[in-house]
Short mmCIF file of all heavy atoms in Angstrom, two decimals:
data_model
loop_
_atom_site.label_atom_id
_atom_site.label_comp_id
_atom_site.label_asym_id
_atom_site.label_seq_id
_atom_site.Cartn_x
_atom_site.Cartn_y
_atom_site.Cartn_z
N ALA A 5 115.14 147.23 -31.97
CA ALA A 5 113.98 148.06 -31.68
C ALA A 5 112.76 147.30 -32.19
O ALA A 5 112.72 146.60 -33.20
CB ALA A 5 114.12 149.34 -32.51
N VAL A 6 111.67 147.50 -31.44
CA VAL A 6 110.41 146.76 -31.66
C VAL A 6 109.23 147.80 -31.78
O VAL A 6 109.29 148.87 -31.12
CB VAL A 6 110.11 145.73 -30.64
CG1 VAL A 6 111.12 144.58 -30.66
CG2 VAL A 6 110.05 146.31 -29.24
N PRO A 7 108.22 147.46 -32.51
CA PRO A 7 107.13 148.45 -32.59
C PRO A 7 106.24 148.43 -31.34
O PRO A 7 106.01 147.43 -30.70
CB PRO A 7 106.26 147.84 -33.73
CG PRO A 7 106.70 146.43 -33.99
CD PRO A 7 108.10 146.27 -33.37
N GLY A 8 105.88 149.69 -30.96
CA GLY A 8 105.05 149.86 -29.74
C GLY A 8 103.59 149.83 -30.17
O GLY A 8 103.26 149.57 -31.36
N PRO A 9 102.74 150.11 -29.25
CA PRO A 9 101.30 150.10 -29.59
C PRO A 9 100.84 151.06 -30.62
O PRO A 9 99.86 150.88 -31.30
CB PRO A 9 100.58 150.51 -28.25
CG PRO A 9 101.64 150.88 -27.29
CD PRO A 9 102.95 150.47 -27.89
N ASP A 10 101.62 152.15 -30.85
CA ASP A 10 101.41 153.09 -31.89
C ASP A 10 102.09 152.68 -33.27
O ASP A 10 102.04 153.49 -34.20
CB ASP A 10 101.77 154.46 -31.46
CG ASP A 10 103.26 154.58 -31.15
OD1 ASP A 10 104.01 153.62 -31.27
OD2 ASP A 10 103.60 155.75 -30.67
N GLY A 11 102.83 151.61 -33.29
CA GLY A 11 103.55 151.13 -34.42
C GLY A 11 104.92 151.67 -34.60
O GLY A 11 105.65 151.23 -35.50
N ARG A 12 105.27 152.73 -33.80
CA ARG A 12 106.61 153.24 -33.85
C ARG A 12 107.64 152.38 -33.14
O ARG A 12 107.32 151.82 -32.18
CB ARG A 12 106.54 154.69 -33.30
CG ARG A 12 105.69 155.61 -34.01
CD ARG A 12 105.78 157.05 -33.62
NE ARG A 12 105.62 157.12 -32.08
CZ ARG A 12 105.94 158.24 -31.40
NH1 ARG A 12 106.46 159.27 -31.98
NH2 ARG A 12 105.75 158.25 -30.10
N LEU A 13 108.82 152.25 -33.74
CA LEU A 13 109.90 151.48 -33.16
C LEU A 13 110.52 152.13 -31.92
O LEU A 13 110.75 153.34 -31.89
CB LEU A 13 111.01 151.19 -34.21
CG LEU A 13 110.57 150.32 -35.43
CD1 LEU A 13 111.77 150.31 -36.40
CD2 LEU A 13 110.14 149.02 -35.00
N ARG A 14 110.73 151.26 -30.90
CA ARG A 14 111.34 151.75 -29.64
C ARG A 14 112.30 150.73 -29.15
O ARG A 14 112.30 149.52 -29.52
CB ARG A 14 110.29 151.91 -28.57
CG ARG A 14 109.32 153.09 -28.80
CD ARG A 14 108.36 153.13 -27.70
NE ARG A 14 107.47 154.40 -27.77
CZ ARG A 14 106.40 154.39 -28.54
NH1 ARG A 14 106.05 153.38 -29.29
NH2 ARG A 14 105.67 155.57 -28.65
N CYS A 15 113.15 151.16 -28.17
CA CYS A 15 114.04 150.23 -27.47
C CYS A 15 113.17 149.22 -26.80
O CYS A 15 112.13 149.55 -26.26
CB CYS A 15 114.91 151.00 -26.45
SG CYS A 15 115.89 152.33 -27.22
N PRO A 16 113.45 147.92 -26.79
CA PRO A 16 112.57 146.96 -26.33
C PRO A 16 112.28 147.15 -24.75
O PRO A 16 111.23 146.88 -24.36
CB PRO A 16 113.30 145.54 -26.52
CG PRO A 16 114.62 145.93 -27.04
CD PRO A 16 114.66 147.34 -27.46
N TRP A 17 113.21 147.61 -24.03
CA TRP A 17 112.95 147.83 -22.55
C TRP A 17 111.87 148.83 -22.40
O TRP A 17 111.24 148.83 -21.35
CB TRP A 17 114.24 148.16 -21.80
CG TRP A 17 114.79 149.56 -22.18
CD1 TRP A 17 115.83 149.79 -23.05
CD2 TRP A 17 114.43 150.77 -21.65
NE1 TRP A 17 116.05 151.17 -23.15
CE2 TRP A 17 115.20 151.76 -22.30
CE3 TRP A 17 113.43 151.20 -20.65
CZ2 TRP A 17 115.06 153.14 -22.00
CZ3 TRP A 17 113.41 152.54 -20.42
CH2 TRP A 17 114.10 153.56 -21.05
N GLY A 18 111.79 149.82 -23.29
CA GLY A 18 110.82 150.94 -23.12
C GLY A 18 109.37 150.52 -23.41
O GLY A 18 108.53 151.40 -23.34
N LEU A 19 109.15 149.32 -23.67
CA LEU A 19 107.77 148.81 -23.92
C LEU A 19 107.14 147.93 -22.86
O LEU A 19 106.05 147.44 -22.95
CB LEU A 19 107.62 148.18 -25.34
CG LEU A 19 107.83 149.12 -26.45
CD1 LEU A 19 108.02 148.37 -27.77
CD2 LEU A 19 106.72 150.13 -26.54
N SER A 20 108.06 147.52 -21.80
CA SER A 20 107.63 146.53 -20.92
C SER A 20 106.42 146.92 -20.00
O SER A 20 105.73 146.10 -19.53
CB SER A 20 108.83 145.99 -20.11
OG SER A 20 109.36 147.02 -19.38
N THR A 21 106.29 148.22 -19.71
CA THR A 21 105.25 148.68 -18.91
C THR A 21 104.88 150.11 -19.42
O THR A 21 105.67 150.79 -20.10
CB THR A 21 105.56 148.89 -17.39
OG1 THR A 21 106.50 149.95 -17.22
CG2 THR A 21 106.22 147.68 -16.85
N GLU A 22 103.64 150.51 -19.14
CA GLU A 22 103.20 151.96 -19.50
C GLU A 22 104.15 152.96 -18.97
O GLU A 22 104.44 153.96 -19.66
CB GLU A 22 101.75 152.23 -19.19
CG GLU A 22 101.23 153.45 -19.68
CD GLU A 22 101.28 153.56 -21.22
OE1 GLU A 22 100.98 152.50 -21.89
OE2 GLU A 22 101.57 154.67 -21.77
N ASP A 23 104.51 152.73 -17.68
CA ASP A 23 105.46 153.67 -17.06
C ASP A 23 106.80 153.76 -17.82
O ASP A 23 107.24 154.91 -17.93
CB ASP A 23 105.87 153.19 -15.60
CG ASP A 23 104.59 153.24 -14.68
OD1 ASP A 23 103.78 154.06 -14.90
OD2 ASP A 23 104.68 152.41 -13.75
N TYR A 24 107.24 152.63 -18.35
CA TYR A 24 108.45 152.72 -19.15
C TYR A 24 108.29 153.44 -20.50
O TYR A 24 109.17 154.15 -20.93
CB TYR A 24 109.07 151.28 -19.33
CG TYR A 24 109.94 150.79 -18.34
CD1 TYR A 24 110.22 149.49 -18.20
CD2 TYR A 24 110.68 151.63 -17.50
CE1 TYR A 24 111.16 148.89 -17.28
CE2 TYR A 24 111.61 151.20 -16.53
CZ TYR A 24 111.85 149.86 -16.50
OH TYR A 24 112.65 149.33 -15.55
N VAL A 25 107.12 153.21 -21.08
CA VAL A 25 106.87 153.88 -22.42
C VAL A 25 106.95 155.34 -22.21
O VAL A 25 107.68 156.12 -22.96
CB VAL A 25 105.51 153.44 -22.95
CG1 VAL A 25 105.22 154.33 -24.19
CG2 VAL A 25 105.45 152.00 -23.30
N THR A 26 106.33 155.88 -21.21
CA THR A 26 106.39 157.38 -20.95
C THR A 26 107.80 157.74 -20.58
O THR A 26 108.29 158.75 -21.18
CB THR A 26 105.42 157.73 -19.77
OG1 THR A 26 104.10 157.35 -20.13
CG2 THR A 26 105.40 159.19 -19.52
N TYR A 27 108.48 157.06 -19.71
CA TYR A 27 109.88 157.41 -19.33
C TYR A 27 110.79 157.42 -20.55
O TYR A 27 111.56 158.27 -20.79
CB TYR A 27 110.31 156.54 -18.20
CG TYR A 27 111.72 156.70 -17.78
CD1 TYR A 27 112.06 157.92 -17.09
CD2 TYR A 27 112.72 155.84 -18.06
CE1 TYR A 27 113.34 158.10 -16.65
CE2 TYR A 27 114.08 156.10 -17.58
CZ TYR A 27 114.38 157.20 -16.95
OH TYR A 27 115.65 157.48 -16.50
N HIS A 28 110.65 156.32 -21.32
CA HIS A 28 111.49 156.15 -22.49
C HIS A 28 111.28 157.25 -23.50
O HIS A 28 112.18 157.91 -23.98
CB HIS A 28 111.25 154.78 -23.13
CG HIS A 28 111.81 154.61 -24.47
ND1 HIS A 28 111.19 155.04 -25.66
CD2 HIS A 28 112.99 153.96 -24.86
CE1 HIS A 28 111.99 154.65 -26.74
NE2 HIS A 28 113.10 154.07 -26.22
N ASP A 29 110.03 157.57 -23.82
CA ASP A 29 109.68 158.53 -24.86
C ASP A 29 109.89 159.98 -24.43
O ASP A 29 110.25 160.76 -25.32
CB ASP A 29 108.24 158.36 -25.22
CG ASP A 29 107.94 157.05 -26.03
OD1 ASP A 29 108.81 156.29 -26.25
OD2 ASP A 29 106.80 156.93 -26.46
N GLU A 30 109.71 160.28 -23.19
CA GLU A 30 109.71 161.70 -22.83
C GLU A 30 110.84 162.19 -21.87
O GLU A 30 111.14 163.31 -21.70
CB GLU A 30 108.37 162.02 -21.99
CG GLU A 30 107.18 161.79 -22.86
CD GLU A 30 105.90 161.95 -22.14
OE1 GLU A 30 105.93 162.44 -20.91
OE2 GLU A 30 104.81 161.58 -22.62
N GLU A 31 111.67 161.17 -21.35
CA GLU A 31 112.66 161.61 -20.38
C GLU A 31 114.04 160.92 -20.63
O GLU A 31 115.06 161.72 -20.60
CB GLU A 31 112.09 161.23 -19.05
CG GLU A 31 112.80 161.84 -17.89
CD GLU A 31 112.17 161.66 -16.50
OE1 GLU A 31 110.98 161.22 -16.52
OE2 GLU A 31 112.86 161.81 -15.56
#
Side-chain angles (χ1 to χ4, degrees):
V6 294
D10 59 3
R12 298 185 308 163
L13 294 175
R14 289 181 176 83
C15 303
W17 67 264
L19 292 170
S20 60
T21 71
E22 187 59 39
D23 293 330
Y24 270 162
V25 173
T26 301
Y27 179 69
H28 171 274
D29 288 3
E30 299 175 10
E31 196 171 341

